[in-house]
Amino acid sequence: MDPEHGCIDLGGAYVGQKQKRVLKLVKEFGLELYNINEKEKTVLNFRNSWSKFSGVIPPFWNPIKLLDLNHVLRTIDNMAKEIPADAPWKAPKAEEWDAMTMKEFINKICWTSTTKELLRIMIEAVFTVEPWEVSLLYVLWSIGSGGGVEQVVSVEGGAQEMKIIGGTQQLSVKLAEKLGNAVKLSTPVVCIEQTDDNVIVTDLHGNKYKGRFVISAVPQTLLSRITFRPELPPLRQQLIQRIPMGSIIKTNMFYSTAFWREEDMCGTALSDSGPVAACIDDTKPDGSHPSIMGFILADRAREMVSMTAEERKQALCEHYAKAFRSKKFLYPIGYRENNWMAEEYSGGCYTIYTPPGVLTKYGRYLFQPVGKIFFAGTETSTVWSGYIEGAIQAGERAASEVLYEMNLIKKEEVWQEESSFDITSSEPWTIESILPSVTNIFHFVGCIGLSYILYKFYPILLNAIQNWSI
Ligand SMILES: Cc1cc2nc3c(=O)[nH]c(=O)nc-3n(C[C@H](O)[C@H](O)[C@H](O)COP(=O)(O)OP(=O)(O)OC[C@H]3O[C@@H](n4cnc5c(N)ncnc54)[C@H](O)[C@@H]3O)c2cc1C
């Protein structure tokens, strides 16, 4: 809660209709959700052109661009369907897809530079990395775990549809209330020691806690800072050296009114240049604290990390003024930001990602218990991995594994995950599903051209072949 600007979600915030575990918690705690404003139009500030549009797909006049974008998004969904949610390394083409960066895939499949740029923005916004950093297999697995591209990128009907009135942190606070004194804040774990019967956890202040089992929900890349006795198995140690966190600074710019709405703009702008690739209206549902939330992502976050907060604020205002074509954005009444790269006990966000080769060679160790230590955390989830929903699912799974070890539940009661992804955006017989790709069009045009040449020059060609064979 900010005294001037009310509640600000500096971390995870958005909730989608398909995230049933978060929705259940919201209901259980008597919290309320509100819809993100998307009544007016989205702005596309792209390749020196500017337009406003409604819906998810930008309005390109050039049909080649539209077909190209449609084809790549549908291809990603179809490839994601081939990946087992609980074992992505078992996908039929796992090795091939994990050997490729997302950038290589984009360059291979996209025809137009516009589609390539839009895909770059999508990868930055969803994974907080550049396409050259991340494995294709990881992107497909993660997008599949969220139900497909449309689910993951959309506001209406997608992962960004709603927020919790009063802030997402209420979920943690209310869960902590239920646990009472068991929750210790500002108490980082520094050592986990397994004995024959117990596990002893030591915190930074030297306090020791004894239990029969431990569930670690620490982002796994940060496990390298905890001493394990006995030490972690070799491939687990290698895994945690190879799963970095994404790079992001989350920002909120406050204005005296939500003036953009009066100019038929909902506050969402997609930009291929400037510090913020994607921003969203963050005004409260009662109209108070008009604000634009902007993510500074990946390369932009790394470039701007050495600036002062005031310099970033200035750069963002100038960016919004250009992106929305309105000088009013130059006059904010407040600014808040959180640099997640500077958070010692996160090291970045939204979650880990895997560079090429890591998921196939080490991915299975993300989920595997080590003796009496079990692992939760959103990166171990098989639905909405990287999201709050995924963190809850992973916690439920780890808890059921421990209950089974304690003989409190039967084997068949141990948490089972849904076996397949629910990629709704690729249901058959939508218009998008029958549109051809640019490659198919070129093949078709090529075949027509070849047929015409054969028809037109058939006698000459026949003559030439006969002469040659004699
Ligand atoms: C800027 C930002 C925006 C996001 N937006 C969304 C969104 O809109 N919707 C969504 O669903 N998700 C979003 N996410 C992702 C979401 O917040 C995460 O998926 C979720 O918080 C993961 O939960 P977790 O419990 O796995 O890990 P975390 O929430 O990271 O919790 C891990 C905890 O472990 C603690 N810890 C670390 N080291 C130690 C140690 N040695 N000892 C003890 N404790 C330790 C950390 O302090 C932290 O409290 C966003 C994340 C960020 C950063």
Side-chain angles (χ1 to χ4, degrees):
M1 185 64 74
D2 180 275
E4 263 179 81
H5 303 296
C7 139
I8 309 172
D9 286 304
L10 294 169
Y14 299 97
V15 177
Q17 288 289 359
K18 300 233 162 147
Q19 299 176 342
K20 58 185 184 192
R21 293 171 183 85
V22 192
L23 295 179
K24 197 171 151 220
L25 271 189
V26 166
K27 198 168 163 201
E28 188 181 325
F29 292 141
L31 302 173
E32 280 180 60
L33 295 157
Y34 67 97
N35 282 351
I36 299 305
N37 179 50
E38 228 194 6
K39 286 194 202 98
E40 301 82 9
K41 296 208 169 72
T42 293
V43 162
L44 183 68
N45 177 38
F46 210 71
R47 307 192 81 77
N48 296 325
S49 73
W50 191 86
S51 55
K52 290 197 272 189
F53 68 100
S54 303
V56 183
I57 303 277
F60 296 123
W61 291 109
N62 182 340
I64 295 287
K65 289 182 186 176
L66 272 179
L67 289 176
D68 200 24
L69 185 59
N70 178 60
H71 174 247
V72 66
L73 298 183
R74 300 196 66 75
T75 303
I76 289 173
D77 274 352
N78 289 331
M79 290 166 82
K81 279 192 218 164
E82 290 183 32
I83 300 177
D86 55 354
W89 49 89
K90 287 190 184 158
K93 294 189 180 162
E95 295 276 341
E96 182 188 333
W97 293 348
D98 202 30
M100 203 184 277
T101 66
M102 193 60 198
K103 181 169 181 175
E104 285 163 342
F105 172 72
I106 292 171
N107 285 340
K108 193 172 158 198
I109 190 170
C110 299
W111 280 86
T112 64
S113 51
T114 302
T115 309
K116 289 179 187 174
E117 273 300 282
L118 279 173
L119 264 279
R120 177 180 67 79
I121 293 175
M122 181 182 102
I123 296 299
E124 284 181 5
V126 177
F127 297 94
T128 62
V129 298
E130 296 295 330
W132 53 262
E133 294 179 87
V134 62
S135 138
L136 168 63
L137 183 68
Y138 177 79
V139 169
L140 296 173
W141 176 51
S142 179
I143 286 181
S145 83
V149 176
E150 200 172 325
Q151 268 295 308
V152 165
V153 302
S154 297
V155 174
E156 195 182 337
Q160 283 68 236
E161 182 159 19
M162 299 173 289
K163 279 182 60 168
I164 300 171
I165 295 177
T168 316
Q169 202 190 4
Q170 293 171 101
L171 292 179
S172 319
V173 170
K174 292 202 179 276
L175 279 167
E177 277 168 10
K178 280 187 152 197
L179 293 166
N181 289 340
V183 177
K184 311 274 178 214
L185 297 177
S186 306
T187 311
V189 171
V190 291
C191 180
I192 302 180
E193 190 182 349
Q194 300 195 55
T195 64
D196 286 344
D197 305 319
N198 292 308
V199 193
I200 298 156
V201 171
T202 309
D203 71 27
L204 190 62
H205 315 295
N207 303 310
K208 291 190 186 294
Y209 311 84
K210 192 157 84 175
R212 284 175 60 196
F213 297 93
V214 160
I215 295 178
S216 167
V218 170
Q220 290 209 28
T221 192
L222 300 183
L223 294 180
S224 56
R225 298 167 59 193
I226 297 177
T227 303
F228 288 86
R229 291 285 175 261
E231 65 272 16
L232 290 174
L235 293 179
R236 185 103 195 184
Q237 294 204 47
Q238 291 231 304
L239 164 77
I240 62 182
Q241 296 170 42
R242 286 165 165 78
I243 44 173
M245 303 292 279
S247 309
I248 182 169
I249 303 171
K250 186 171 179 181
T251 69
N252 268 81
M253 196 73 74
F254 294 90
Y255 293 93
S256 49
T257 64
F259 55 85
W260 49 91
R261 295 183 183 180
E262 287 148 29
E263 296 168 30
D264 196 24
M265 297 184 285
C266 68
T268 305
L270 303 176
S271 306
D272 66 344
S273 58
V276 174
C279 59
I280 299 187
D281 190 333
D282 205 30
T283 307
K284 299 285 172 273
D286 62 2
S288 62
H289 306 297
S291 165
I292 296 285
M293 187 287 297
F295 288 133
I296 306 178
L297 297 158
D299 271 354
R300 247 64 56 212
R302 294 181 282 242
E303 282 155 25
M304 295 179 77
V305 76
S306 54
M307 296 164 84
T308 63
E310 188 54 35
E311 285 168 336
R312 280 192 287 268
K313 174 185 171 188
Q314 199 53 39
L316 260 64
C317 287
E318 284 164 22
H319 170 74
Y320 292 146
K322 192 173 158 225
F324 290 102
R325 293 202 168 166
S326 167
K327 287 211 161 61
K328 291 181 192 164
F329 282 96
L330 294 173
Y331 307 102
I333 58 164
Y335 175 66
R336 294 289 181 275
E337 63 168 35
N338 198 52
N339 176 4
W340 282 90
M341 300 178 286
E343 293 287 335
E344 191 177 4
Y345 291 103
S346 296
C349 268
Y350 315 118
T351 182
I352 62 141
Y353 67 91
T354 67
V358 176
L359 203 48
T360 41
K361 302 293 173 233
Y362 299 93
R364 68 205 71 208
Y365 305 110
L366 273 174
F367 310 88
Q368 276 180 12
V370 175
K372 299 180 195 69
I373 310 172
F374 291 76
F375 296 91
T378 191
E379 69 273 16
T380 69
S381 173
T382 55
V383 294
W384 292 102
S385 172
Y387 292 76
I388 302 164
E389 176 76 7
I392 302 171
Q393 189 238 34
E396 288 174 358
R397 189 255 309 140
S400 80
E401 286 170 347
V402 172
L403 288 175
Y404 172 68
E405 290 293 320
M406 295 171 81
N407 292 322
L408 292 173
I409 60 170
K410 298 192 193 100
K411 180 86 180 163
E412 56 274 19
E413 290 174 280
V414 174
W415 172 91
Q416 297 282 329
E417 186 39 70
E418 302 94 290
S419 57
S420 62
F421 296 142
D422 168 29
I423 299 186
T424 48
S425 56
S426 38
E427 281 161 6
W429 303 114
T430 57
I431 290 188
E432 293 85 356
S433 72
I434 52 171
L435 285 176
S437 68
V438 178
T439 312
N440 287 346
I441 288 185
F442 282 141
H443 282 163
F444 180 70
V445 171
C447 285
I448 299 273
L450 193 63
S451 309
Y452 178 76
I453 290 169
L454 285 174
Y455 165 76
K456 191 89 181 155
F457 299 103
Y458 173 71
I460 304 170
L461 284 172
L462 191 65
N463 204 8
I465 291 169
Q466 280 168 350
N467 287 344
W468 176 71
S469 54
I470 289 164

